Amino acid sequence: MIEDASNEMLSRQRKLADKVKKAKIAARAAGSYEFPFSMTDKFSNKPYVARLGWDEEKSQITRDFEKSFMQAEGFDSHVTVSGIFKAAETDIFEIREGVTKIKIAAKGKLHFLCRKYDSEKFGYVQAYLAGVIDVDELLEICKDVPKEVVVPDDLKD
């Protein structure tokens, strides 16, 4: 009896969390943008755009690939992928344009956060998607600040 009640409570919590997530997405969508995408690359490195999300049950990133893009196969095993994708404020995307980059939609532009295989910064992207850190923290962590180069005294002329 207690186990059934516990399972029911967990089920209701998950449904409520899902409703909250959908409401947040709808609120962000009020400030939505459209971005063009066009890239040609080898078929083995096919360009794509995927909106990143978070699966609460599995505690992992989800990828929703843009399916409305046009594809044209060319010569020498190359493919061109092009189209327009929509983004709400603070949506996160994985975009393969030669290399795979993680970008965020903010203030009408796509801003670079990190490369997919930058494990340190990508970990913060995961934390943002999981709701552990907010967007301001993510942007502060991922911004590229040029580091000052210090030349040791014994190497100076």
Side-chain angles (χ1 to χ4, degrees), residues 36-139:
F37 178 78
S38 184
M39 185 71 196
T40 301
D41 208 333
K42 293 179 182 174
F43 199 79
S44 61
N45 195 39
K46 184 177 171 184
Y48 66 83
V49 173
R51 182 184 322 273
L52 299 183
W54 188 255
D55 184 324
E56 298 279 338
E57 286 185 24
K58 296 179 182 177
S59 294
Q60 67 183 23
I61 285 181
T62 60
R63 289 171 177 80
D64 182 21
F65 291 91
E66 184 60 51
K67 296 171 186 74
S68 66
F69 287 170
M70 306 245 335
Q71 296 183 30
E73 293 184 28
F75 299 105
D76 301 327
S77 301
H78 281 71
V79 63
T80 297
V81 177
S82 61
I84 295 175
F85 65 98
K86 293 184 179 185
E89 187 74 15
T90 71
D91 276 353
I92 305 283
F93 293 91
E94 181 177 294
I95 301 175
R96 184 185 286 167
E97 313 169 282
V99 296
T100 306
K101 301 172 186 174
I102 307 301
K103 296 185 177 186
I104 186 170
K107 299 178 183 172
K109 296 181 181 180
L110 281 177
H111 299 275
F112 174 78
L113 292 174
C114 64
R115 290 185 181 213
K116 180 180 179 180
Y117 299 106
D118 179 341
S119 59
E120 181 181 348
K121 287 185 181 177
F122 193 69
Y124 288 108
V125 171
Q126 288 177 314
Y128 166 73
L129 292 169
V132 176
I133 64 173
D134 66 23
V135 70
D136 293 326
E137 290 174 282
L138 176 66
L139 292 172

Side-chain angles (χ1 to χ4, degrees), residues 14-27:
R14 286 185 185 129
K15 287 178 183 177
L16 181 60
D18 190 45
K19 285 182 181 181
V20 168
K21 184 187 289 186
K22 288 178 181 178
K24 286 181 180 179
I25 290 170

